[in-house]
Amino acid sequence: MPKNSKVTQREHSSEHVTESVADLLALEEPVDYKQSVLNVAGGPGGKQAAAEEELDTEDRPAWNSKLQYILAQIGFSVGLGNIWRFPYLCQKNGGGAYLVPYLVLLIIIGIPLFFLELAVGQRIRRGSIGVWHYVCPRLGGIGFSSCIVCLFVGLYYNVIIGWSIFYFFKSFQYPLPWSECPVVRNGTAAVVEAECEKSSATTYFWYREALDISNSISESGGLNWKMTLCLLVAWTIVGMAVIKGIQSSGKVMYFSSLFPYVVLACFLVRGLLLRGAVDGILHMFTPKLDKMLDPQVWREAATQVFFALGLGFGGVIAFSSYNKQDNNCHFDAALVALINFFTSVLATLVVFAVLGFKANIMNEKCVVENAEKILGYLHTNVLSQDLIPPHVNFSHLTTKDYSEMYKVIMTVKEDHFSALGLDPCVLEDELDKSVQGTGLAFIAFTEAMTHFPASPFWSVMFFLMLINLGLGSMIGTMAGITTPIIDTFKVPKEMFTVGCCVFAFFVGLLFVQRSGNYFVTMFDDYSATLPLTVIVILENIAVAWIYGTKKFMQELTEMLGFRPYRFYFYMWKFVSPLCMAVLTTASIIQLGVTPPGYSAWIKEEAAERYLYFPDWAMALLIILIVVATLPIPVVFVLRHFHLLSDGSNTLSVSYKKGRMMKDISNLEENDETRFILSKVPSEAPSPMPTHRSYLGPGSTSPLEPSGNPNGRYGSGYLLASTPESEL
């Protein structure tokens, strides 16, 4: 060591020696660290920062049990999409054949990236802002983008919970209010509401009674006061659930995560006993193998895997940051991912069992209506009685008999058949009708429940299940906002949480206008997909290519007590980034090829019509995408040009009254890291992982604090004692 070194000058002195970490590692020769007390701090007030950071680590909340944590992760990942989007994708993309690409992508993208987020959160013990600030300072904007996306999703997601609350309270009556079309007075005569008569009772109730929807996104129509009250109730429930952090939300998860499985099990048993349930299940699981080669199917499967596990939102990282560092997050990742997949399949069985029953009901109704037409044609001699097979009995007309009669009439009256207006009434046609999203839950499934015995009971159970599924996801979404902000800026938890809920309620009034459903479509289908894809691919790159996959695997080995499979090394390093890049490119191309649009309900036609977003809505959509991704390039530029400190220049090391060895030039590659970061197990766990290599002042991944934007952190590290030095 040079003679003019501060450490050499005072190696026998009782005075403190303070040097910057960058100077110590870049300009000085290695020193002995075996008998030293280190204080790693940032600039003035370093000792105070050290004390605050250590206290913060000690006081960080923790899950009461492993079960509570697993239920929280399940509640966040298993949401409304499992109930209505996954069954729709199965129906649309080849039935059972869709499960093949979904499972493949779950294994090569879903589980590895889910494990990655669990691991970094548990290791660094901070929210998304602190985690990505630590992993790669120049990509620290990832955490801020995650918070913004969580805000966007939470705004409209809670509106859906509000819709479920509305239907829940409407279910406490018999008959259910959407089981029949309303009758209106037209002078002295009573007639069925025209809009309802042209569509159906459940469709009319959804669009007119619940949403009171306008004809397009450009027609605001004012606030829907019923849905405004339901939105207020929804945000009140969410606020009460998360106001105390995991201390309050953890208890809620015991009910909100388990109750949906009870309801799904009940619906599955009831559904399997319904007439026609087997037809629906067989139709769903009959594979259409040609779909497996369709690139669009793989893209949609990847997107579903991506959203199903909640990747990129920050909720997964937030929940795992409250774990003990020796928790087996590898097991957690596989368990939660498989439960999520099982839930999707279970929900699909329930949905298609019920829709199979509904399809049989609608098919029988079709047969009856068309049989009446044929009888009318027979009475008016439009059709000859000779066309009717002798065994056909109109009093007990079966689907098979009608099909035979239909084919005979179509063959004989080929030239004039279309004028008769007869429908084929084929069961498969009813089963092939694709219903997705809110239409599946609030129209198709709701209509099927009107035919159940004790229909109000099943309706109450169904919408209570939707409320709990939505609540579990909202708790994770709110954690993705509150945890990183509270960790980083040290704001009061309760005050900030209440402020978030109040702010989100007022902004959410956009979605409870009469045109609000169209804004939900904009946010759900377009505003979050591309930003989340960008966030996840950058997370993967930050860990695998900048921080280093080998280094990360080594830290996981120390944390878990065993080395994860090499499978993850190759997935993180090569396969997952490539797949995510392809997905991002496909999403951008899809936006360019197919202009964004929405299904509008036209009152006069009592039918849906696909409309493209107007120019102002497209501008709003672009602004949302830009705002969600903007923090990433902004933070990168600011730190690249040193306009925003990454903390490396403010760190210092204080040596307290210790003798230093003059020659340990044979230190191994990462020994300087141990010099700075090693500590004995008896101390409180550090928010920063050990073995964090410092790569020099100009490195893109310098040693820096976790979860503190001003670059200050401090912790006392007592190193192992040796005979050569004494404290």
Side-chain angles (χ1 to χ4, degrees):
M1 180 174 294
K3 293 182 179 180
N4 60 352
S5 166
K6 297 177 185 178
V7 177
T8 304
Q9 290 173 0
R10 297 186 178 118
E11 66 180 72
H12 296 289
S13 171
S14 60
E15 298 179 19
H16 286 275
V17 178
T18 302
E19 294 190 90
S20 71
V21 171
D23 289 343
L24 180 65
L25 295 180
L27 303 177
E28 298 282 5
E29 294 180 8
V31 294
D32 180 36
Y33 56 88
K34 294 184 178 180
Q35 174 95 357
S36 300
V37 175
L38 298 186
N39 181 51
V40 183
K47 293 182 179 180
Q48 181 180 357
E52 290 176 354
E53 186 71 26
E54 185 171 355
L55 181 62
D56 176 69
T57 302
E58 291 176 348
D59 292 342
R60 187 170 186 80
W63 299 103
N64 291 336
S65 65
K66 181 65 174 281
L67 175 62
Q68 188 182 71
Y69 164 68
I70 292 295
L71 290 178
Q73 291 286 13
I74 291 173
F76 177 50
S77 65
V78 176
L80 298 173
N82 297 77
I83 301 299
W84 59 44
R85 181 160 177 78
F86 187 89
Y88 160 72
L89 291 175
C90 281
Q91 183 182 26
K92 174 187 174 185
N93 294 321
Y98 173 75
L99 298 180
V100 175
Y102 184 86
L103 273 175
V104 170
L105 293 170
L106 179 66
I107 293 172
I108 67 174
I109 293 180
I111 294 178
L113 296 181
F114 190 58
F115 179 30
L116 184 147
E117 289 201 357
L118 290 178
V120 295
Q122 179 175 310
R123 184 66 168 169
I124 301 172
R125 304 198 73 202
R126 286 293 181 269
S128 57
I129 294 177
V131 162
W132 301 115
H133 172 78
Y134 167 71
V135 171
C136 178
R138 293 184 182 181
L139 292 180
I142 294 175
F144 291 98
S145 289
S146 293
C147 292
I148 294 173
V149 171
C150 279
L151 175 62
F152 288 171
V153 172
L155 288 175
Y156 76 81
Y157 206 87
N158 225 23
V159 174
I160 301 176
I161 298 179
W163 295 342
S164 302
I165 291 172
F166 176 78
Y167 269 79
F168 172 75
F169 284 109
K170 285 290 185 179
S171 298
F172 289 94
Q173 51 187 299
Y174 184 83
L176 291 171
W178 50 82
S179 59
E180 296 177 353
C181 285
V183 177
V184 295
R185 306 294 298 183
N186 185 8
T188 58
V191 296
V192 175
E193 174 65 47
E195 186 181 2
C196 184
E197 188 175 22
K198 292 178 183 177
S199 53
S200 68
T202 50
T203 303
Y204 173 83
F205 187 88
W206 167 241
Y207 283 118
R208 192 56 51 212
E209 295 292 334
L211 300 182
D212 193 19
I213 200 165
S214 61
N215 283 356
S216 73
I217 194 172
S218 300
E219 302 175 23
S220 168
L223 290 178
N224 181 337
W225 68 268
K226 294 178 289 188
M227 288 306 167
T228 302
L229 290 177
C230 290
L231 180 63
L232 178 61
V233 172
W235 275 114
T236 302
I237 294 172
V238 170
M240 293 173 63
V242 301
I243 191 168
K244 294 291 185 182
I246 63 171
Q247 286 90 344
S248 56
S249 62
K251 296 180 177 62
V252 174
M253 287 296 185
Y254 283 111
F255 181 79
S256 65
S257 296
L258 293 176
F259 178 74
Y261 289 96
V262 175
V263 177
L264 284 175
C266 293
F267 265 100
L268 180 61
V269 173
R270 183 68 188 91
L272 291 176
L273 297 176
L274 295 172
R275 176 170 46 87
V278 176
D279 295 328
I281 293 174
L282 289 177
H283 178 78
M284 180 266 161
F285 282 105
T286 300
K288 300 177 180 64
L289 299 180
D290 59 308
K291 289 284 189 178
M292 291 177 57
L293 303 177
D294 187 350
Q296 178 70 9
V297 173
W298 286 81
R299 189 185 72 84
E300 291 188 346
T303 304
Q304 178 62 16
V305 168
F306 181 69
F307 279 96
L309 295 175
L311 301 175
F313 286 93
V316 172
I317 293 175
F319 282 160
S320 65
S321 71
Y322 299 113
N323 267 332
K324 296 179 180 178
Q325 287 220 348
D326 60 351
N327 174 65
N328 188 351
C329 57
H330 174 259
F331 171 79
D332 299 342
L335 177 64
V336 174
L338 291 177
I339 290 177
N340 188 292
F341 174 70
F342 164 77
T343 306
S344 297
V345 174
L346 176 62
T348 303
L349 286 172
V350 171
V351 167
F352 277 91
V354 174
L355 292 184
F357 166 69
K358 174 180 173 289
N360 273 267
I361 295 292
M362 299 305 295
N363 196 56
E364 290 175 358
K365 182 179 178 181
C366 176
V367 168
V368 171
E369 291 176 351
N370 283 272
E372 291 177 353
K373 289 182 182 180
I374 293 175
L375 283 174
Y377 292 143
L378 291 174
H379 293 155
T380 57
N381 295 322
V382 174
L383 294 177
S384 171
Q385 185 68 40
D386 296 337
L387 298 178
I388 309 301
H391 64 277
V392 171
N393 182 356
F394 279 91
S395 299
H396 300 87
L397 188 64
T398 65
T399 303
K400 183 179 179 180
D401 290 341
Y402 174 79
S403 178
E404 183 179 349
M405 185 169 54
Y406 177 86
K407 292 177 181 177
V408 171
I409 296 174
M410 183 174 63
T411 302
V412 175
K413 295 287 185 178
E414 183 176 359
D415 296 337
H416 308 286
F417 181 76
S418 59
L420 298 176
L422 297 178
D423 300 314
C425 297
V426 178
L427 181 63
E428 285 71 21
D429 293 342
E430 286 290 337
L431 293 171
D432 280 334
K433 291 181 180 179
S434 296
V435 183
Q436 66 169 316
T438 53
L440 178 60
F442 296 102
I443 298 177
F445 207 89
T446 304
E447 182 176 354
M449 287 189 296
T450 60
H451 301 287
F452 284 14
S455 55
F457 168 78
W458 293 104
S459 183
V460 167
M461 294 286 284
F462 177 71
F463 289 109
L464 186 58
M465 177 187 70
L466 292 187
I467 293 170
N468 280 276
L469 284 171
L471 180 60
S473 296
M474 274 301 301
I475 289 174
T477 302
M478 288 296 294
I481 301 172
T482 58
T483 297
I485 298 296
I486 292 171
D487 284 348
T488 303
F489 300 105
K490 310 301 179 187
V491 296
K493 181 189 301 180
E494 290 82 1
M495 185 180 301
F496 179 70
T497 302
V498 171
C500 281
C501 293
V502 172
F503 172 78
F505 167 72
F506 283 106
V507 177
L509 294 178
L510 172 71
F511 303 98
V512 290
Q513 303 175 93
R514 291 182 59 201
S515 60
N517 187 47
Y518 306 138
F519 287 96
V520 171
T521 300
M522 176 191 292
F523 275 67
D524 186 24
D525 292 349
Y526 301 105
S527 69
T529 303
L530 186 58
L532 277 176
T533 309
V534 172
I535 287 170
V536 174
I537 193 172
L538 288 178
E539 288 180 353
N540 202 163
I541 291 173
V543 172
W545 288 92
I546 298 177
Y547 189 83
T549 311
K550 290 182 179 179
K551 186 191 302 182
F552 186 58
M553 291 286 283
Q554 179 60 32
E555 290 188 356
L556 287 181
T557 302
E558 295 174 2
M559 183 174 71
L560 300 176
F562 63 89
R563 187 171 186 83
Y565 300 117
R566 294 287 294 178
F567 164 81
Y568 291 105
F569 177 91
Y570 295 110
M571 292 300 106
W572 290 332
K573 191 80 171 178
F574 305 109
V575 178
S576 295
L578 178 61
C579 291
M580 295 304 297
V582 171
L583 177 60
T584 304
T585 304
S587 299
I588 295 173
I589 293 174
Q590 182 71 16
L591 285 175
V593 173
T594 306
Y598 61 100
S599 293
W601 178 258
I602 310 301
K603 180 178 180 180
E604 294 73 20
E605 301 174 6
E608 290 183 341
R609 183 193 301 170
Y610 190 82
L611 302 177
Y612 294 117
F613 286 117
D615 292 341
W616 65 267
M618 284 297 301
L620 175 60
L621 178 58
I622 293 172
I623 290 172
L624 292 173
I625 295 174
V626 170
V627 168
T629 54
L630 189 61
I632 298 173
V634 167
V635 172
F636 182 88
V637 170
L638 290 177
R639 285 189 171 148
H640 180 76
F641 292 102
H642 307 293
L643 300 175
L644 179 66
S645 173
D646 60 11
S648 62
N649 294 327
T650 61
L651 289 175
S652 62
V653 181
S654 296
Y655 303 88
K656 181 181 178 182
K657 197 177 180 179
R659 293 176 55 195
M660 316 301 291
M661 290 182 65
K662 294 187 175 68
D663 183 15
I664 51 171
S665 58
N666 59 345
L667 284 176
E668 296 178 359
E669 180 182 356
N670 289 328
D671 279 351
E672 68 266 21
T673 305
R674 299 187 182 93
F675 168 61
I676 296 173
L677 297 177
S678 296
K679 60 186 179 65
V680 296
S682 61
E683 292 188 351
S686 168
M688 292 184 61
T690 57
H691 293 281
R692 175 72 164 125
S693 295
Y694 181 78
L695 304 179
S699 168
T700 59
S701 182
L703 175 67
E704 62 173 357
S706 169
N708 202 334
N710 61 7
R712 296 187 310 153
Y713 90 96
S715 291
Y717 294 91
L718 180 62
L719 304 181
S721 62
T722 64
E724 286 83 7
S725 59
E726 298 176 357
L727 290 176

